[in-house]
Amino acid sequence: MRVQFGLKTSAVFCFMLVAQASFAAAPRFTNMAPRGAQRGTEVVVTMTGSNLEDAEEVLIYDKGVEVVKFDHPADEKLKGKQVLVTLKLAPECRLGTYRMRLRTRTGLSDLQNFYATPYPVVAEKEPNTDFATPQAIEKNVAVFGRIDREDVDYYVIDAKQGERLTVEIFGMRLGFSSSGNFFDPYVAIMSEERFELSASDDTALVWNDGIASVIAPKDGRYIIQVRDSAYNGDGRAYYFANIGNFPRPHAVIPSGGKPGEKLTVTFLGDVSGPITREVTLPTEGDFDRFGLEIQDEYGIAPTAQPFRISPLDNFVEKEPNNDRNTATVAAAPAAMNGVISEKGDIDFFKFTAKKDQQFEVEVYSRRLRSALDPVMYVYRQDNGARVISNDDSRGPDSYARFKAPIDGEYVVSVTDHLKNGGESYTYRIEVTPVEATITAEPIEFARYVQHQIIVPQGAGSGIVATVRRANIGGPVNFRGDDLPAGVRVECPEGWRAGGTMSVIFYADENAPLAGKFASVAAFLDDPKQKDRKVEGPLSQNVLMIRGRNNNRVRQERFTRMPIVVTQKAPFKVWIEEPKAPLVRGGSMNLIVKCERDEGWDEDITILLLQNPSGVNASRSIKIKKGQTEALIPMNAAGNAAVQTTMISLRCIAKVGNGNIELCTPFAPVRVEEQYMTFKFTQAVVEKGQETIFPITITKRKDFEGEAEAQLFGLPANAVAEKIKITKDTKELNFVIKATEKTPPGMSKNVFCRVMIPENGTTVLHNLGTGQLRVDNPPPPKKDAPKKPVAVVKKPTPKKPLSRLEMLRLQKKEQAAAAAAGGE
């Protein structure tokens, strides 16, 4: 659902945005007060967070709640931190949570839940932490409270003897308390003498929330205790305690029916006994969250009983059916419904199948919030031979593929894994023909963080979708039937045959700033199977509560994706199409360029949205401040897929108060076979010597000009000069020179790097590998004649002159010099 605020408010708000100095990206929606309301009423909700200056609307996933007013606070100190929203809950809106996000002009917030209760909301009033001083309340109200650490809240209510008294807590299902010590409610109904009459920590119907019910044994006051099961609690441990004399069954039989069907159902588990009702099922709507409401003269259960809608005929168990010879007669395809009513109980149903006929046998129990942990078997009726069995292929629920080995009768049985039983241990076994299905969901780029589709005007937002095909093969494409105006979805053909696919949502330059929960279909797009129509929604599980050891305690499932168009980003990034291919075993630098708006200059982190098969790219590249270009090193494995792949980049940068992300247009990267192959032979060289290292070339593809070949992986202090080669070269003979310092040993990873010119760039090949052994020089032989030692005669040293002889020699030299000067 998308509800925008009025034109007058919008005009004022647009003027405010023009006056803003900052770009309020990355909005956060952290809390709201109140967190729920009675259906059929209007309530003003204060939504708090940060970066909300440019908030424009609330996106609500579920039908039944709408926005009738949207305002920003008058107090300047609160602007950007709060918005004031008036919500209108329809009188017949579904009981339970309504998922919502805040959309701003520059982003989209995380998810928050708002609870619709059938009862008036009463606020908790402290102090109510002492058993002796509980807060007094009336019947059939929803108390909105909070548990702090080691906190216990007490409430008191009057009841008559024989009157039903029920408390249902709605706490963990709000999905708000998320930490290692997340809120795990505990509820108890106590007598004035402080005896527990009914208590609950976890109840299968309401997940980790609790339900306590009792028939009042006498007139008097009864105390309701609410706390965390381990006495934890924090500022996020909110709850609604629905307290009254309303019915609260835990299960229903049958557990499903056909769309539009009118049928009789029996609710089980209410403290006052089974309740039978006639219901008419809807023909359209959100069947994933559909449930039956249960009401009597005293009130209505605070949440609906989950109920499956499917086109199958129903069969309900008839006791006794505890072995294959007393199995309830059913058929296939069909749905078989029942309850494991006591410990050790096992139920059997009988159906007929032809030889080689195939069915999918699936048990729905825990997914319909039954207490049953099913174990399912299929046997031959004639001899009791087991054909298939399963415990938990669907989480706690069971699933298996059945193929009939012969014509005949078969029985399917179900029991509890721990042999438990009771009124809440219901099940629904669906036996259906094998059908083709396609499912898709986006991966998490950051663990535990669900990616959002936020599309800046004139740019893209990308996901990598995991696609699962069952009972079918072929290319899968994506289609958006109700995307926001100006938005399109693209999945290049080269990705469609795989299990993970690059999918980008692009917005036009002038696309309106808007958003919605949109349906995106993953569908079979195979020219070879034109007559087959198989599709499924692009869905997402949003993590709400993460427990200890990163356990995913609670998730919300969506079959429509939040897609919003935001203001144009102050930068553009694109890939310069490579002029040459990337070859197997080779590498290349991908050139990335950007433009920046005047006045904005931040680092831009760039990451490949998805690597081509067998190709790796660096994940630590940025276009630095003041720069307009960067290079992304890419390497292809020796077995990389030979194909052209359309790639895109995720570009993340700080803008205003947060980060924004966009995706580039797709650009092709071509992976080819190596232009040549090399055959190496092992070479040997002695220290201080040189040797020839021959390589035989087998050409695969012609190239122009001269390429340069160089050896790598040589031992230390060994060298070989580069060699020029052409397309006609058939052999390389590198001269490897080893010095006296080259260590002896075997080098097993000698390879050759060849740089081949092409279109003004180079195609880098890494070819190999070869081996080079370095030996020490051999020692001299023992019987070899000794070499003669050359004797060098030293010159006879001159006799030193006396002082008189030195004076005579000096005088003689002076006379000779004078005679020479006279001439």
Side-chain angles (χ1 to χ4, degrees):
M1 174 183 295
R2 181 171 71 100
V3 184
Q4 291 185 318
F5 48 90
L7 295 175
K8 181 177 179 181
T9 308
S10 180
V12 173
F13 188 59
C14 288
F15 177 80
M16 183 188 74
L17 282 174
V18 172
Q20 275 187 172
S22 63
F23 192 101
R28 297 188 65 215
F29 178 15
T30 57
N31 205 347
M32 68 174 90
R35 295 196 67 87
Q38 183 182 14
R39 67 179 179 183
T41 65
E42 288 189 10
V43 60
V44 178
V45 179
T46 301
M47 299 181 176
T48 59
S50 59
N51 296 340
L52 302 179
E53 294 90 344
D54 57 346
E56 285 197 336
E57 65 177 326
V58 181
L59 301 183
I60 304 177
Y61 185 86
D62 309 280
K63 293 181 178 180
V65 175
E66 62 177 331
V67 177
V68 296
K69 191 176 182 182
F70 188 108
D71 287 314
H72 289 263
D75 188 342
E76 291 293 330
K77 295 180 180 179
L78 297 177
K79 288 182 178 179
K81 301 177 182 179
Q82 290 185 358
V83 290
L84 305 175
V85 180
T86 302
L87 298 178
K88 182 178 181 180
L89 288 69
E92 301 301 324
C93 73
R94 183 186 53 79
L95 298 172
T97 54
Y98 287 77
R99 286 79 63 84
M100 55 187 64
R101 299 175 184 263
L102 280 171
R103 183 189 67 80
T104 70
R105 295 176 65 85
T106 51
L108 181 68
S109 76
D110 287 335
L111 184 75
Q112 293 290 346
N113 279 327
F114 185 86
Y115 173 53
T117 172
Y119 299 114
V121 175
V122 175
E124 173 199 3
K125 295 180 181 179
E126 295 282 4
N128 65 337
T129 58
D130 194 314
F131 182 86
T133 58
Q135 178 181 341
I137 57 171
E138 300 294 329
K139 293 187 186 75
N140 292 347
V141 297
V143 182
F144 179 50
R146 190 182 77 188
I147 296 295
D148 296 317
R149 186 167 181 79
E150 298 185 356
D151 188 15
V152 180
D153 290 343
Y154 291 100
Y155 304 94
V156 62
I157 189 171
D158 292 323
K160 298 290 187 181
Q161 182 180 4
E163 186 177 12
R164 177 178 53 204
L165 183 57
T166 299
V167 184
E168 179 183 328
I169 299 296
F170 205 103
M172 190 211 70
R173 288 174 289 171
L174 289 173
F176 190 61
S177 176
S178 182
S179 65
N181 295 323
F182 64 89
F183 182 38
D184 182 5
Y186 176 92
V187 60
I189 301 174
M190 309 171 75
S191 68
E192 289 187 281
E193 294 77 26
R194 208 162 188 162
F195 290 107
E196 282 191 353
L197 305 177
S198 177
S200 173
D201 177 5
D202 302 332
T203 303
L205 176 65
V206 293
W207 302 80
N208 288 52
D209 292 335
I211 296 172
S213 294
V214 67
I215 300 297
K218 62 179 182 179
D219 293 356
R221 288 157 45 93
Y222 292 86
I223 312 299
I224 289 91
Q225 180 195 73
V226 180
R227 60 174 174 84
D228 182 85
S229 61
Y231 291 94
N232 291 314
D234 54 31
R236 301 172 64 89
Y238 290 103
Y239 66 86
F240 287 87
N242 295 277
I243 304 171
N245 56 1
F246 50 79
R248 180 62 282 177
H250 291 221
V252 63
I253 293 179
S255 300
K258 299 178 182 179
E261 183 180 15
K262 189 174 183 179
L263 76 164
T264 300
V265 299
T266 300
F267 294 94
L268 303 175
D270 187 78
V271 69
S272 65
I275 304 171
T276 299
R277 292 287 187 271
E278 191 173 79
V279 298
T280 300
L281 302 179
T283 57
E284 59 183 16
D286 184 2
F287 291 163
D288 287 342
R289 301 189 91 200
F290 177 73
L292 298 176
E293 293 186 359
I294 174 62
Q295 185 174 6
D296 64 13
E297 65 270 29
Y298 301 106
I300 184 171
T303 49
Q305 176 69 48
F307 195 83
R308 180 162 167 79
I309 305 293
S310 74
L312 299 173
D313 290 332
N314 270 332
F315 290 88
V316 179
E317 67 159 322
K318 295 180 180 179
E319 294 285 2
N321 65 336
N322 297 76
D323 57 52
R324 75 177 195 275
N325 295 318
T326 59
T328 299
V329 177
M336 306 159 194
N337 303 266
V339 57
I340 302 300
S341 56
E342 59 185 21
K343 289 187 176 183
D345 189 14
I346 182 169
D347 289 346
F348 286 80
F349 293 84
K350 181 168 59 177
F351 65 94
T352 301
K354 296 289 187 181
K355 184 177 186 299
D356 294 332
Q357 192 173 8
Q358 295 189 54
F359 292 103
E360 291 181 304
V361 185
E362 187 159 5
V363 182
Y364 289 86
S365 288
R366 196 60 60 86
R367 285 173 290 177
L368 296 176
R369 305 318 309 156
S370 165
L372 181 68
D373 180 1
V375 180
M376 176 267 294
Y377 301 89
V378 175
Y379 303 94
R380 284 175 53 173
Q381 171 67 23
D382 57 354
N383 60 9
R386 183 189 300 177
V387 182
I388 59 168
S389 64
N390 185 258
D391 178 9
D392 54 5
S393 287
R394 293 289 189 263
D397 287 346
S398 306
Y399 164 84
R401 176 81 64 84
F402 164 76
K403 183 177 180 180
I406 61 170
D407 290 356
E409 291 185 331
Y410 296 85
V411 291
V412 55
S413 73
V414 63
T415 189
D416 183 73
H417 180 77
L418 297 177
K419 305 302 180 184
N420 289 322
E423 285 188 311
S424 61
Y425 285 70
T426 52
Y427 59 84
R428 177 178 173 87
I429 307 171
E430 293 192 356
V431 181
T432 58
V434 174
E435 294 183 350
T437 61
I438 293 174
T439 60
E441 59 182 292
I443 68 169
E444 296 175 350
F445 291 134
R447 197 175 182 188
Y448 310 117
V449 178
Q450 283 65 44
H451 188 67
Q452 298 177 338
I453 303 174
I454 302 170
V455 196
Q457 290 172 315
S461 177
I463 64 170
V464 175
T466 298
V467 177
R468 296 180 177 87
R469 305 166 180 82
N471 310 313
I472 195 170
V476 170
N477 201 355
F478 288 82
R479 180 187 70 246
D481 295 326
D482 60 345
L483 299 176
V487 175
R488 68 185 189 281
V489 61
E490 182 177 345
C491 176
E493 184 175 357
W495 291 109
R496 298 176 190 172
T500 57
M501 305 183 189
S502 294
V503 182
I504 298 184
F505 297 81
Y506 290 107
D508 297 338
E509 292 277 354
N510 59 351
L513 302 184
K516 64 190 306 186
F517 287 97
S519 297
V520 179
F523 66 96
L524 182 68
D525 190 11
D526 188 357
K528 299 178 182 179
Q529 304 180 72
K530 292 182 179 179
D531 296 333
R532 299 195 71 179
K533 182 179 180 181
V534 183
E535 63 181 46
L538 176 65
S539 59
Q540 184 177 38
N541 287 318
V542 176
L543 179 63
M544 301 299 291
I545 298 178
R546 183 172 61 171
R548 292 180 179 177
N549 300 318
N550 293 320
N551 182 31
R552 293 175 183 262
V553 175
R554 183 165 180 81
Q555 299 184 127
E556 296 278 356
R557 180 167 179 80
F558 294 82
T559 56
R560 289 177 287 124
M561 302 295 294
I563 302 173
V564 301
V565 179
T566 60
Q567 284 181 206
K568 179 182 176 184
F571 62 93
K572 285 186 176 180
V573 182
W574 65 93
I575 300 169
E576 188 171 281
E577 184 175 336
K579 298 178 180 178
L582 173 63
V583 296
R584 283 180 160 181
S587 60
M588 66 181 293
N589 286 324
L590 187 70
I591 301 174
V592 183
K593 295 186 176 182
C594 77
E595 289 181 357
R596 304 171 186 266
D597 286 357
E598 185 176 352
W600 183 87
D601 189 17
E602 296 285 348
D603 289 350
I604 305 173
T605 299
I606 47 179
L607 304 164
L608 252 70
L609 177 62
Q610 184 177 4
N611 288 326
S613 177
V615 176
N616 287 316
S618 174
R619 297 183 59 83
S620 59
I621 305 301
K622 293 182 179 180
I623 304 178
K624 298 287 188 179
K625 293 181 181 181
Q627 298 181 0
T628 59
E629 185 174 311
L631 301 177
I632 301 179
M634 300 182 70
N635 301 286
N639 61 349
V642 176
Q643 61 186 17
T644 297
T645 303
M646 302 298 288
I647 64 169
S648 176
L649 299 177
R650 296 172 58 211
C651 309
I652 306 166
K654 182 180 179 182
V655 180
N657 298 328
N659 288 340
I660 66 171
E661 177 176 330
L662 56 80
C663 273
T664 65
F666 282 110
V669 167
R670 189 169 79 254
V671 175
E672 291 189 1
E673 289 281 9
Q674 297 165 339
Y675 290 15
M676 60 188 72
T677 60
F678 282 9
K679 183 179 180 181
F680 290 73
T681 57
Q682 181 173 320
V684 180
V685 65
E686 289 184 8
K687 294 173 63 173
Q689 302 297 317
E690 61 183 45
T691 189
I692 300 298
F693 192 82
I695 301 174
T696 303
I697 302 174
T698 301
K699 182 180 67 176
R700 284 177 170 168
K701 180 179 178 180
D702 286 339
F703 60 90
E704 300 296 326
E706 288 187 330
E708 184 178 81
Q710 182 179 3
L711 283 183
F712 287 84
L714 297 174
N717 301 307
V719 295
E721 293 186 356
K722 300 176 182 178
I723 297 178
K724 300 289 186 179
I725 64 174
T726 69
K727 64 181 181 180
D728 299 318
T729 303
K730 299 186 182 304
E731 187 177 65
L732 291 175
N733 288 295
F734 285 97
V735 178
I736 299 177
K737 299 178 181 180
T739 70
E740 295 291 343
K741 295 182 178 180
T742 302
M746 179 71 77
S747 296
K748 297 183 178 181
N749 296 304
V750 178
F751 69 95
C752 187
R753 178 166 293 167
V754 181
M755 305 291 288
I756 300 177
E758 185 171 322
N759 294 328
T761 184
T762 56
V763 181
L764 188 151
H765 290 63
N766 291 318
L767 303 168
T769 57
Q771 297 183 358
L772 174 68
R773 194 181 78 225
V774 179
D775 292 342
N776 286 313
K781 296 180 179 180
K782 292 182 180 180
D783 56 350
K786 294 183 179 180
K787 294 181 179 180
V789 179
V791 179
V792 179
K793 292 184 178 181
K794 295 182 179 180
T796 304
K798 294 181 180 180
K799 181 181 178 181
L801 299 177
S802 66
R803 176 63 179 167
L804 180 60
E805 289 174 329
M806 291 178 65
L807 291 173
R808 288 175 180 173
L809 180 61
Q810 184 179 3
K811 188 174 181 180
K812 185 177 178 179
E813 290 175 346
Q814 289 175 349
E823 295 178 1

